[in-house]
Amino acid sequence: MKRRVSFDKIFLCTIDELRCLTGVPIEVVRDKDALAVSFAATVLDCVRRANARRKQAVIIMPVGPTGQWKLMADVAAREGINLSRLSIIQMDEYLDIHSRRVSRSDPFSFTGFVWSAFGEKAAQRCGFQKKNWIVP
């Protein structure tokens, strides 16, 4: 049984203490570019494992950091990774004053950004299905 830990304690921990307290694997990288590479590699490894089992990979993804999106599309295209069984639940989007998602064409739209950085290329070259892209 996991013990409860207050957020105050977590924010004051070293990385090693945090690993012990949470039991969650933590990887520390040198900068945002290394983070994008690690993030993209982790997602694509999940997709490869799901594909090998002929299963669907369902991943809840934040929009940022942003570097992983283009990198995932580029690596998947270069390596011929089939993304037809990948479902992405996008965590973030802005709403307008009526609490509706902003248009994908809005320059502030996370959905527009993700589609242009990842979705278009992944759909054209790797079989990514637009129906498998969920924006709550």
Side-chain angles (χ1 to χ4, degrees):
M1 180 174 164
K2 289 214 180 220
R3 58 190 161 126
R4 294 184 69 115
V5 179
S6 74
F7 278 120
D8 292 345
K9 183 167 181 151
I10 288 174
F11 289 128
L12 299 173
C13 289
T14 66
I15 296 299
D16 289 332
E17 290 169 334
L18 191 58
R19 285 182 180 118
C20 290
L21 284 171
T22 65
V24 174
I26 299 170
E27 178 184 358
V28 178
V29 296
R30 73 182 174 281
D31 57 28
K32 69 178 185 172
D33 293 334
L35 178 60
V37 169
S38 178
F39 200 144
T42 300
V43 170
L44 292 176
D45 285 345
C46 178
V47 171
R48 284 185 198 97
R49 287 193 309 274
N51 284 348
R53 294 188 323 269
R54 292 187 170 84
K55 300 283 184 183
Q56 185 175 21
V58 180
I59 301 172
I60 300 172
M61 298 264 303
V63 172
T66 58
Q68 75 275 5
W69 292 104
K70 182 178 183 315
L71 189 57
M72 284 187 332
D74 290 344
V75 171
R78 184 176 61 245
E79 295 182 12
I81 299 171
N82 179 356
L83 300 178
S84 65
R85 289 192 210 104
L86 171 62
S87 288
I88 294 175
I89 302 170
Q90 180 179 312
M91 292 172 60
D92 312 300
E93 186 54 284
Y94 283 110
L95 301 178
D96 66 15
I97 62 171
H98 304 290
S99 297
R100 296 176 302 218
R101 281 183 286 186
V102 296
S103 165
R104 192 183 299 173
S105 62
D106 188 300
F108 290 105
S109 172
F110 290 141
T111 304
F113 166 77
V114 172
W115 187 252
S116 67
F118 171 79
E120 284 180 304
K121 187 175 199 174
Q124 292 169 356
R125 300 187 60 199
C126 304
F128 181 69
Q129 305 289 311
K130 193 172 184 179
K131 68 180 183 175
N132 292 343
W133 179 25
I134 302 152
V135 183

